[in-house]
Amino acid sequence: MKLNAIIVEDEENSRLILRNYLTKYCPNISILGEAANVEEALVLIRANDLDVVFLDVEMPYGNAFDLLDKVGDINFETIFVTAYNHYAIEALNAHASYYLMKPISIDELIKAVDYVTEIRKKEDALQDQVLVPKTNSVSGKITIPQQDGFEVIETADIMYCKADDNYTEIYLNTNKKKLVSKTLKYIEESLKDANFARVHKSYLVNVNEIVKYVKGKGGSVVLSNGKEIMVSASKKSDLLSYFK
């Protein structure tokens, strides 16, 4: 499958080498443009539907992490290409798909592209299809703290949960909403055995309520009540693991 890509690298010679390697050894990569700095990269990212960005870390007037912060919700895979190995942990925290060291190894480059290709193939396989969870077990109950005690609700009644600072909004299939004085991370831990997937930093969804995965500039899931929720690039693999 073809993958739309851009190269973000401030050194012209390095851009040339990477472009030549990709053209020769990774024919499924379609290079839509190149950028030498953060601002140029932002323009390309916002103007194109991208699958992968080959990203150098150090650039003039900002670095790779500044760029990713400005992009916000990242809906493409990121392959870091750098001469510095001390950025590896930051790259991992930024949900990089792969970390390539300069000088670029052709074998490693092919591995990186193959890895991203597999991720995109899984997404394409699920595009516009009704999904079947591996398990439909959402049995159980959780307690929601109240000022005068707590309320017990069935986990199967929960459609999705949304972060609200240190609170969580719990949306039920009865069209009711509960506000809980707990973080979404806390709720996620409470529901870890009940088939709920963290699809975004702000959303936790009941997998059994997902009826469709839609691939677009990013990706999203559609719930049985028609609610559409964006899926972060870093959460896609986790989401896909819930389905056959």
Side-chain angles (χ1 to χ4, degrees):
M1 67 181 298
K2 282 287 185 183
L3 299 181
N4 291 334
I6 64 170
I7 296 171
V8 183
E9 163 68 65
D10 65 310
E11 296 179 0
E12 184 176 358
N13 190 53
S14 294
R15 289 199 303 273
L16 177 61
I17 291 171
L18 180 54
R19 181 170 70 246
N20 288 342
Y21 280 178
L22 289 170
T23 301
K24 185 173 182 179
Y25 300 105
C26 305
N28 66 318
I29 294 290
S30 177
I31 302 172
L32 301 186
E34 299 177 10
N37 55 54
V38 169
E39 294 307 316
E40 289 179 5
L42 273 176
V43 172
L44 287 175
I45 288 169
R46 289 168 177 166
N48 293 285
D49 185 3
L50 299 174
D51 296 296
V52 58
V53 172
F54 294 89
L55 185 57
D56 186 20
V57 176
E58 294 193 345
M59 292 175 283
Y61 314 112
N63 61 28
F65 306 107
D66 297 325
L67 172 61
L68 295 177
D69 284 343
K70 289 184 178 183
V71 172
D73 189 25
I74 300 165
N75 297 310
F76 49 79
E77 306 303 320
T78 307
I79 296 177
F80 278 75
V81 185
T82 178
Y84 306 97
N85 59 15
H86 59 270
Y87 288 113
I89 293 177
E90 284 183 88
L92 181 64
N93 291 336
H95 308 295
S97 298
Y98 218 91
Y99 194 89
L100 291 174
M101 291 292 297
K102 296 177 183 176
I104 297 171
S105 159
I106 293 171
D107 288 341
E108 284 299 309
L109 177 62
I110 293 171
K111 270 196 217 176
V113 170
D114 286 347
Y115 179 77
V116 171
T117 301
E118 285 306 308
I119 293 174
R120 289 307 196 189
K121 279 182 179 177
K122 287 180 182 178
E123 291 172 357
D124 275 357
L126 295 176
Q127 183 177 0
D128 292 333
Q129 293 181 18
V130 174
L131 303 179
V132 181
K134 289 179 179 176
T135 171
N136 58 10
S137 174
V138 202
S139 60
K141 304 173 189 263
I142 63 169
T143 59
I144 295 177
Q146 307 283 328
Q147 284 187 338
D148 57 350
F150 59 84
E151 179 181 359
V152 179
I153 62 174
E154 298 279 348
T155 53
D157 292 339
I158 300 173
M159 294 284 293
Y160 66 95
C161 305
K162 180 182 178 183
D164 183 8
D165 291 328
N166 289 323
Y167 290 80
T168 299
E169 298 172 355
I170 298 179
Y171 291 81
L172 305 177
N173 54 20
T174 56
N175 292 324
K176 291 182 179 179
K177 180 178 77 171
K178 306 286 185 180
L179 183 65
V180 186
S181 59
K182 297 290 184 181
T183 64
L184 186 59
K185 178 66 175 175
Y186 179 92
I187 300 298
E188 181 182 11
E189 284 296 315
S190 301
L191 294 170
K192 66 182 179 181
D193 297 322
N195 220 31
F196 281 75
R198 186 75 171 264
V199 298
H200 186 279
K201 66 180 180 180
S202 300
Y203 286 96
L204 180 71
V205 303
N206 182 344
V207 172
N208 294 291
E209 297 294 343
I210 298 174
V211 296
K212 186 181 289 188
Y213 173 85
V214 181
K215 182 177 181 290
K217 180 157 187 170
S220 62
V221 289
V222 179
L223 304 185
S224 59
N225 66 350
K227 172 72 174 178
E228 186 169 2
I229 296 174
M230 291 294 297
V231 178
S232 296
S234 60
K235 302 295 183 182
K236 287 177 184 175
S237 294
D238 291 341
L239 171 66
L240 300 185
S241 71
Y242 282 87
F243 299 94
K244 297 177 182 176

